[in-house]
Amino acid sequence: IFKVRGSVSASGGHITEDILREKLNKIGLRPNYDYNLNDVTIGQQEVQEGGKRKKKTRAYDFILPFNVENWEPKPKLFIQSQYYAGDSGSVSHKVVDQTQSSRAFTLEKYPTARFVEYLDGAGYYASLRGDLQHMLAFPNTASFFQVKSILVRLRRELQVIKFLTPIDLEHVLLTTASNDKNSVIKELAAQEYPESEIERVIKTCIEEGFVENTATNISINRNRVEIARRLLVLDVAVNNAKTISDSQRCSQKYLILPGYGRNYGILESELTEAFYQVCKQHLPSAPTFSKDIEWLLDEGVIKRR
């Protein structure tokens, strides 16, 4: 899992944070409500440094969900963005120690906190030879993700804490033959989302214009069909991909998926067949489906080699 090179060669860490916010918008999350726009301070911690007691401000780059009413005491994702620009292959012991101390402080305030690292940059792979690998191996590190695997690994973490996103509701609307609201609710309940969470997201999607609603039916708004369908293609690819050999990878016949190691992919023909079996509404034409694949390639969430 550590043999994944950095996917961003930009010059600063804030760029990766902006990319994450852009992806969160794509899946229908709202700024200052579902996710924060600025660092979130959770308090000041007294620490011992150089024989003196100091107060350290503890903050996180992202907390998801950020400001959803009545969410606590359910788990939240506490995310730190670490951008490694250099190739020295080392992370200071101070960073590792501060991470441990900060997490212990966080757990006192939020016992159900789930810690996820957002790691990228040109020096990411080299940094894993140092202390970064130990940080990822901490017992309370739930997972990590990179720019290219936001829409796979981070969404999976949101699903783990049962935080229902608009894109997951939209996927149910694309994969069920009926627009009957009760059928949609039943399907989300089968995915183990609480009733209150399903009600919250349906209400949010109606308010945001993501779905169209009547007394008995609910359907995806045509303005959201394209992005929902494209991310459904990605989901189907992930769920049907497998580990392949180096020679298969080099053949360029396979689409390679992020977040599962170097050689995890699926033949485009197999993906096409699987997608058309799953998608029940707003079925794309062959040219439109090809454009969806091209968009995913442009986004860097899949690649051919």
Side-chain angles (χ1 to χ4, degrees), residues 168-279:
D168 289 306
L169 169 61
E170 290 164 345
H171 282 179
V172 170
L173 295 175
L174 289 177
T175 57
T176 53
S178 170
N179 286 331
D180 177 66
K181 190 183 297 184
N182 288 332
S183 298
V184 172
I185 292 172
K186 184 177 180 181
E187 173 58 28
L188 289 168
Q191 297 177 21
E192 299 183 353
Y193 286 105
E195 181 181 349
S196 59
E197 183 65 356
I198 297 170
E199 291 175 356
R200 179 189 72 81
V201 171
I202 290 177
K203 181 172 181 274
T204 296
C205 287
I206 293 170
E207 292 172 351
E208 295 294 315
F210 294 163
V211 301
E212 297 172 358
N213 179 61
T214 67
T216 58
N217 285 0
I218 183 170
S219 59
I220 186 170
N221 187 292
R222 60 186 178 86
N223 293 326
R224 287 285 299 177
V225 168
E226 185 176 76
I227 184 62
R229 186 186 65 243
R230 287 172 171 176
L231 295 186
L232 179 61
V233 173
L234 177 62
D235 282 8
V236 172
V238 169
N239 289 331
N240 289 275
K242 61 185 178 183
T243 301
I244 60 176
S245 66
D246 285 337
S247 61
Q248 287 174 316
R249 179 189 176 93
C250 293
S251 72
Q252 297 192 47
K253 294 180 180 179
Y254 286 80
L255 296 171
I256 310 301
L257 281 303
Y260 289 88
R262 183 173 177 273
N263 283 9
Y264 197 75
I266 183 172
L267 285 169
E268 189 167 337
S269 59
E270 292 179 356
L271 170 58
T272 304
E273 182 179 3
F275 175 80
Y276 279 91
Q277 287 177 349
V278 167
C279 189

Side-chain angles (χ1 to χ4, degrees), residues 102-211:
S102 177
R103 288 183 180 181
F105 178 72
T106 303
L107 287 169
E108 291 176 4
K109 291 177 169 286
Y110 304 95
T112 59
R114 188 173 174 86
F115 301 107
V116 180
E117 296 292 316
Y118 179 26
L119 306 165
D120 225 306
Y124 167 79
Y125 179 74
S127 296
L128 283 170
R129 301 171 195 164
D131 293 325
L132 177 56
Q133 185 166 344
H134 298 299
M135 189 162 70
L136 291 176
F138 288 162
N140 57 13
T141 300
S143 186
F144 76 93
F145 62 95
Q146 293 179 269
V147 164
K148 290 182 179 179
S149 60
I150 290 171
L151 295 173
V152 175
R153 295 181 67 94
L154 179 57
R155 280 185 56 219
R156 186 169 59 207
E157 287 300 312
L158 293 172
Q159 290 166 353
V160 166
I161 64 172
K162 299 303 176 188
F163 178 61
L164 181 58
T165 63
I167 197 69
D168 289 306
L169 169 61
E170 290 164 345
H171 282 179
V172 170
L173 295 175
L174 289 177
T175 57
T176 53
S178 170
N179 286 331
D180 177 66
K181 190 183 297 184
N182 288 332
S183 298
V184 172
I185 292 172
K186 184 177 180 181
E187 173 58 28
L188 289 168
Q191 297 177 21
E192 299 183 353
Y193 286 105
E195 181 181 349
S196 59
E197 183 65 356
I198 297 170
E199 291 175 356
R200 179 189 72 81
V201 171
I202 290 177
K203 181 172 181 274
T204 296
C205 287
I206 293 170
E207 292 172 351
E208 295 294 315
F210 294 163
V211 301

Side-chain angles (χ1 to χ4, degrees), residues 255 292-304:
L255 296 171
D292 290 346
I293 297 293
E294 290 166 2
W295 182 86
L296 292 169
L297 287 165
D298 289 340
E299 287 285 305
V301 295
I302 61 173
K303 56 184 180 181
R304 293 202 184 277

